[in-house]
Amino acid sequence: MYQIFKKRILYAPLLTCALVISYSQAHSQETTIDVDDKIDELDDKIDELELLKKDLIGLKNNLEKKEETIRDKENKLDGEIRSINSLRNSMSVRESEPFSKWHLAGYADIGFESISGDTNDSFLAGKFNPSFHFQFKDWIMFESELEIETSNDGETELALEYSQLNFLVHDNLTIVAGKFLSPIGQFQERLHPSWINRSINGPAGFGHGGVQPSSDVGIMLRGGVSTSDDLIFTYSLAAGNGPRFGHDEDELELEGFGRDNDSNKSFGGRIALVHSSSLEFGFSYLNAGLNAEEELLEDGDLEPAKNADYRLWGADLAYSKGPWDIRAEYLNSKTTPTGMLLEEEVEEEEEEEGHGGAEPVNWKTWYAQIAYRLSEITDHPILAKIEPVVRYGQFRVRVEDTLISNSENRWNFGVNYWAAPTIVIKAGIERRNYILPERTDETRYLMQLAYGF
Amino acid sequence: MKTLKITLATALLTSLCFSTNVNAQEAVKKDPMQVARGAKAWAQTCNRCHNIRAPKELTDEEWEVSTTHMRVRANLPGDMVKDIIAFLQASNNERIEK
């Protein structure tokens, strides 16, 4: 029994082993099939991947090619941008800093005038004065101003006010050549434009038939030097062709002449001191020779040759600060006949010919003007732009100590309305008291609109 | 002698470089007080004969020409005029930053 039991115990594990082996064999057969499938699958995948890889390599090559062309294009663009930039830079340098610069400026005015005793009131076409300024770098400037006016009989009159080259040689020296406004005094060179002048017209004795030349043709040295923090010394020294005798003995031709009719040049100018408080004091002097050859007049009379010495001196004062604008000026000029015959000889000649050559003539004028802008005392938008102005002046002309009829005392009262710093409407009354009783006094009512641009 | 010539030539060249106008901003960088000096001189000087115009009335270029015109007409010292130009150009807001 034990034997049988022993045998059975011995066979049991063997059986179990055989079972296990047979099971595992069956199982391993199944696994082998799976793995084959997997391998096939993997092979397929690998093939697919190979294909993909090829595609990718193709794509990559394409991309590389594209990148290369893009890089080429970029380089090209870069080059173009660089050349455009450099062009733009060079252009913009030209735009902001050209060597030649210019400015068109000037002024225009229109007006109305009514004279007492005269039945005709008039609208005045006024003036149009364009001025041109051209500057090359910072050493030369050309400036010129035209004066275009409508005359009383409707003609257009054109005049060249000045036309000059300024060489800016040094901070304190400019050399001027050409036709320039007379540097004598302050009114002619600085105040006469209607957008600057506080009054509607010039003072008596300024302008046509006046005391001083309006312009001259020649050379001028001018400039300003700061002598201290508060003081500037200024000078304008000119040599020019000078004035000529006019048709009437009491009037000289005072506009600059393109040619000199005698070799006597005019010499003169103005020196001034300007204080930082805006107070300016100036002194002017001019000396010229006047010569006219013997001339046959239209009426058959013989105008004898004339020679005279022309001498002018003057002083001017200006104070312009805040609402105040105060000006005063004195000018005195005279012609003294030169190379004259002795007095007895003159008398003899006069008896023979009726009249002699040049006669001694003296012109004198002065004015003082005060203008006050109400802006200091009111903030009112209209009142603050109003400026009352008063001017008084005297003008005397003497030929051989005898007063001539245009000698006068002149009062001006005015009210200005400053619409803008260079646009002004002026209304004024002018009273002219002529010194000689035969000339009747005049009252003038004047309006003017002036625009400086 | 040679060094003298070279120095003279360099001085001439530099003065030429300076004489071609530098633009306002560069000028401000070089001399920051210039605009301040210009403002003072402008307020003191440019209303002596006529009403003063606002800086924005004219462009940089026009101010340069006009103020140079005034340098001649009003006998103003050149250095003062350069200060005034720098002030006017800096105050007219004409140039837009690029």
Side-chain angles (χ1 to χ4, degrees):
Chain A
M1 185 63 200
Y2 177 73
Q3 283 276 324
I4 293 167
F5 182 70
K6 238 180 145 179
K7 252 187 196 169
R8 278 187 190 165
I9 285 179
L10 209 87
Y11 284 132
L14 274 173
L15 255 167
T16 326
C17 266
L19 265 172
V20 166
I21 287 168
S22 71
Y23 172 79
S24 70
Q25 255 182 352
H27 188 78
S28 79
Q29 249 171 5
E30 249 176 48
T31 321
T32 318
I33 294 164
D34 268 5
V35 167
D36 281 348
D37 285 352
K38 282 267 155 53
I39 285 173
D40 284 347
E41 235 174 70
L42 279 177
D43 275 346
D44 288 349
K45 284 256 158 76
I46 284 171
D47 285 347
E48 269 175 40
L49 281 176
E50 278 304 327
L51 274 176
L52 261 176
K53 191 180 157 194
K54 259 187 216 155
D55 279 357
L56 278 177
I57 287 173
L59 269 174
K60 190 183 156 207
N61 287 345
N62 262 352
L63 272 177
E64 267 172 0
K65 257 186 220 153
K66 288 229 166 101
E67 224 171 67
E68 226 168 80
T69 48
I70 285 173
R71 210 174 302 128
D72 280 353
K73 283 195 177 151
E74 265 179 1
N75 285 345
K76 234 184 182 178
L77 267 178
D78 258 0
E80 265 166 31
I81 287 172
R82 231 172 287 132
S83 71
I84 286 172
N85 268 350
S86 73
L87 198 73
R88 205 185 64 177
N89 282 348
S90 65
M91 298 270 284
S92 65
V93 163
R94 249 195 71 74
E95 254 170 38
S96 58
E97 279 306 323
F99 288 163
S100 275
K101 296 166 195 160
W102 64 283
H103 183 214
L104 178 61
Y107 63 96
D109 57 54
I110 50 167
F112 177 82
E113 184 179 67
S114 162
I115 306 175
S116 63
D118 190 345
T119 45
N120 300 324
D121 301 338
S122 292
F123 284 109
L124 306 174
K127 285 181 190 169
F128 168 45
N129 284 40
S131 67
F132 308 85
H133 313 120
F134 297 91
Q135 187 182 342
F136 183 75
K137 292 196 181 173
D138 59 356
W139 59 273
I140 194 165
M141 165 172 266
F142 170 75
E143 52 168 315
S144 178
E145 184 175 308
L146 301 176
E147 181 161 293
I148 305 166
E149 265 184 303
T150 303
S151 72
N152 290 351
D153 37 6
E155 307 249 333
T156 302
E157 288 170 356
L158 179 74
L160 185 67
E161 280 262 287
Y162 58 82
S163 174
Q164 64 189 63
L165 269 174
N166 307 323
F167 299 91
L168 309 159
V169 182
H170 184 267
D171 272 355
N172 310 110
L173 170 69
T174 300
I175 300 176
V176 177
K179 180 175 182 179
F180 44 79
L181 291 177
S182 167
I184 303 294
Q186 65 173 322
F187 185 81
Q188 179 55 19
E189 196 184 51
R190 293 150 176 234
L191 304 178
H192 83 272
S194 48
W195 67 274
I196 299 180
N197 190 1
R198 262 45 190 197
S199 296
I200 293 177
N201 51 18
F206 286 78
H208 185 75
V211 180
Q212 71 166 112
S214 51
S215 54
D216 207 348
V217 175
I219 283 199
M220 170 156 60
L221 308 183
R222 63 188 302 163
V225 186
S226 301
T227 53
S228 72
D229 275 354
D230 283 331
L231 217 55
I232 299 175
F233 166 78
T234 74
Y235 65 94
S236 315
L237 307 171
N241 289 340
R244 292 184 188 178
F245 283 113
H247 285 297
D248 299 323
E249 71 272 16
D250 61 319
E251 259 186 34
L252 296 181
E253 304 238 357
L254 296 165
E255 294 83 34
F257 285 96
R259 278 190 89 85
D260 203 358
N261 67 334
D262 50 37
S263 37
N264 277 332
K265 297 282 172 277
S266 69
F267 292 99
R270 174 176 180 269
I271 50 171
L273 278 176
V274 187
H275 189 257
S276 58
S277 64
S278 286
L279 183 70
E280 177 168 2
F281 180 75
F283 179 82
S284 305
Y285 179 80
L286 183 74
N287 182 213
L290 300 170
N291 300 290
E293 286 177 5
E294 199 173 60
E295 194 186 356
L296 193 63
L297 298 177
E298 275 174 15
D299 56 11
D301 272 3
L302 194 69
E303 174 89 8
K306 296 189 273 190
N307 299 300
D309 183 42
Y310 175 78
R311 238 174 251 267
L312 175 154
W313 74 272
D316 57 83
L317 181 116
Y319 177 76
S320 182
K321 192 149 203 189
W324 293 101
D325 188 87
I326 300 172
R327 316 257 162 198
E329 187 163 356
Y330 173 84
L331 290 175
N332 183 329
S333 67
K334 63 174 171 211
T335 53
T336 312
T338 51
M340 286 258 302
L341 310 165
L342 295 173
E343 245 173 65
E344 310 90 70
E345 289 174 307
V346 173
E347 272 165 26
E348 273 170 33
E349 281 228 336
E350 273 182 359
E351 270 164 30
E352 280 167 24
E353 306 213 0
H355 57 274
E359 283 161 303
V361 187
N362 177 222
W363 296 262
K364 251 191 247 176
T365 182
W366 71 268
Y367 71 86
Q369 174 181 288
I370 300 179
Y372 181 79
R373 185 79 176 261
L374 302 186
S375 53
E376 198 74 356
I377 51 172
T378 172
D379 287 338
H380 189 278
I382 293 178
L383 289 180
K385 291 179 181 163
I386 287 180
E387 180 189 59
V389 54
V390 180
R391 184 177 71 195
Y392 178 72
Q394 296 189 334
F395 179 43
R396 301 286 183 273
V397 190
R398 286 191 170 82
V399 179
E400 287 198 284
D401 288 334
T402 313
L403 266 186
I404 292 290
S405 69
N406 49 358
S407 302
E408 61 166 304
N409 297 341
R410 191 186 286 188
W411 274 105
N412 284 77
F413 299 94
V415 179
N416 302 333
Y417 178 78
W418 289 97
T422 61
I423 303 177
V424 59
I425 302 164
K426 309 178 200 170
I429 298 179
E430 178 171 288
R431 178 71 186 162
R432 297 184 177 193
N433 294 316
Y434 291 103
I435 307 301
L436 295 189
E438 65 256 31
R439 190 155 177 192
T440 41
D441 294 346
E442 267 172 24
T443 306
R444 295 180 180 220
Y445 304 90
L446 306 147
M447 292 271 299
Q448 185 182 57
L449 189 150
Y451 173 24
F453 41 82
Chain B
M1 194 61 210
K2 204 175 166 193
T3 37
L4 183 73
K5 270 189 190 162
I6 292 172
T7 331
L8 272 177
T10 336
L12 193 72
L13 270 175
T14 355
S15 68
L16 273 178
C17 292
F18 278 108
S19 71
T20 56
N21 286 305
V22 276
N23 89 29
Q25 284 156 12
E26 280 170 36
V28 170
K29 266 184 228 148
K30 264 190 209 145
D31 181 358
M33 285 312 289
Q34 190 178 30
V35 171
R37 281 199 312 271
K40 191 173 165 218
W42 172 74
Q44 249 171 23
T45 311
C46 303
N47 59 355
R48 268 185 14 227
C49 299
H50 48 67
N51 291 333
I52 208 156
R53 295 182 195 216
K56 59 174 182 279
E57 253 196 50
L58 302 183
T59 61
D60 279 8
E61 198 175 310
E62 289 170 335
W63 272 128
E64 191 184 334
V65 178
S66 233
T67 314
T68 308
H69 180 214
M70 290 302 112
R71 164 176 169 181
V72 180
R73 182 63 67 92
N75 290 340
L76 306 174
D79 45 355
M80 178 205 261
V81 167
K82 283 172 202 147
D83 293 348
I84 295 178
I85 293 175
F87 161 72
L88 287 165
Q89 294 182 336
S91 321
N92 62 354
N93 302 326
E94 186 238 346
R95 207 181 295 280
I96 298 153
E97 287 284 339
K98 279 178 200 157

